[in-house]
C-alpha cells in the first residue's frame, strides 16, 4: 500500500463501466480516511471551432450563459452519480464524512486538467480507469502517466 495517502484524485470519463475504478478510489479513501476529489473533464471542441464559439460567446452574453448553464448541468449530474454510487455501493461503515468527497467538472484537455487539478490539490495519488482501445492504456492515461510525478493507480475497465 501507499504510505500517507491523504488526498486522492479520481479522474473519470463517466462512461458506462467506470464503477470499478471509482470503487478502487473509494476503497483507498476508506482505508486511509483521506479526502477524495471526483473529477470529470469536459473536452472542448477542436481549436478552430472553440475559437469561433468563444468569439460568439464574447459577442452574445446569452451564449456564455448557456455554456455556463450546461457546465453546471454536467456538474449536477456528476454529483448525483457520486451520491447514487455511495447509496448503492457503500456499506454504512464505508460512508464518507461531510466534506471528505468533492465533485468537480473542469473544461479542457483531459490529461492536462487532471495534472493541473492534481497539482492544485496536491494529490497523493491519482486513480484512473483505463479502457484498452487505441493503445496499451488509452490516450489520456498514457499522457497523464508520461507527464506526472505522482503515483497513479490504473484500474482496467
Amino acid at each position: 500500500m501507499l504510505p500517507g495517502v491523504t488526498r486522492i484524485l479520481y479522474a473519470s470519463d463517466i462512461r458506462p463501466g467506470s464503477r470499478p475504478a471509482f470503487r478502487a478510489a473509494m476503497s483507498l479513501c476508506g482505508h486511509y480516511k483521506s479526502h477524495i476529489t471526483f473529477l470529470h473533464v469536459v473536452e472542448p471542441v477542436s481549436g478552430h471551432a472553440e475559437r469561433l464559439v468563444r468569439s460568439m460567446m464574447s459577442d452574445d452574453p446569452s451564449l456564455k450563459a448557456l455554456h455556463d448553464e450546461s457546465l453546471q448541468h454536467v456538474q449536477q449530474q456528476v454529483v448525483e452519480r457520486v451520491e447514487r454510487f455511495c447509496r448503492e455501493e457503500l456499506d454504512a461503515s464505508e460512508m464518507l464524512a461531510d466534506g471528505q468527497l468533492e465533485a468537480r467538472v473542469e473544461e479542457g484537455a483531459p490529461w492536462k486538467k487532471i495534472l493541473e487539478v492534481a497539482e492544485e490539490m496536491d494529490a497523493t495519488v491519482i486513480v484512473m480507469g483505463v479502457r484498452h482501445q487505441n493503445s496499451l492504456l488509452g490516450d489520456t492515461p498514457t499522457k497523464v502517466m508520461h507527464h506526472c510525478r505522482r503515483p497513479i493507480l490504473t484500474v482496467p475497465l
Side-chain angles (χ1 to χ4, degrees):
M1 278 289 173
L2 298 168
V5 174
T6 56
R7 289 170 304 286
I8 299 167
L9 174 59
Y10 169 64
S12 175
D13 61 6
I14 64 171
R15 290 185 3 211
S18 59
R19 275 189 171 204
F22 190 44
R23 169 49 95 180
M26 293 296 286
S27 179
L28 269 178
C29 182
H31 179 79
Y32 288 102
K33 307 289 186 244
S34 56
H35 179 271
I36 185 168
T37 298
F38 183 112
L39 174 67
H40 174 65
V41 181
V42 177
E43 197 162 4
V45 292
S46 70
H48 177 69
E50 180 181 9
R51 285 189 298 277
L52 179 63
V53 168
R54 292 208 183 275
S55 171
M56 290 170 54
M57 285 191 319
S58 66
D59 293 340
D60 186 349
S62 66
L63 290 177
K64 172 125 177 57
L66 183 61
H67 172 265
D68 293 346
E69 184 180 308
S70 66
L71 281 180
Q72 289 174 343
H73 178 71
V74 172
Q75 172 76 25
Q76 185 58 39
Q77 285 181 317
V78 167
V79 168
E80 289 171 5
R81 180 185 178 110
V82 169
E83 289 173 349
R84 185 173 53 250
F85 174 90
C86 291
R87 277 193 317 273
E88 294 174 1
E89 299 280 333
L90 300 181
D91 296 329
S93 64
E94 297 175 302
M95 295 303 280
L96 303 178
D98 287 340
Q100 198 174 355
L101 175 82
E102 174 188 11
R104 290 178 63 167
V105 174
E106 298 284 339
E107 188 175 17
W111 73 272
K112 287 181 180 178
K113 279 296 176 183
I114 291 167
L115 294 176
E116 286 175 21
V117 171
E119 184 67 26
E120 173 191 313
M121 65 179 277
D122 194 22
T124 313
V125 64
I126 298 171
V127 180
M128 303 175 64
V130 294
R131 300 174 195 276
H132 305 284
Q133 294 173 350
N134 301 328
S135 67
L136 181 60
L137 293 178
D139 192 44
T140 298
T142 298
K143 287 180 179 177
V144 169
M145 288 174 50
H146 181 73
H147 293 93
C148 189
R149 295 182 184 239
R150 300 172 189 279
I152 301 170
L153 170 63
T154 58
V155 179
L157 300 176

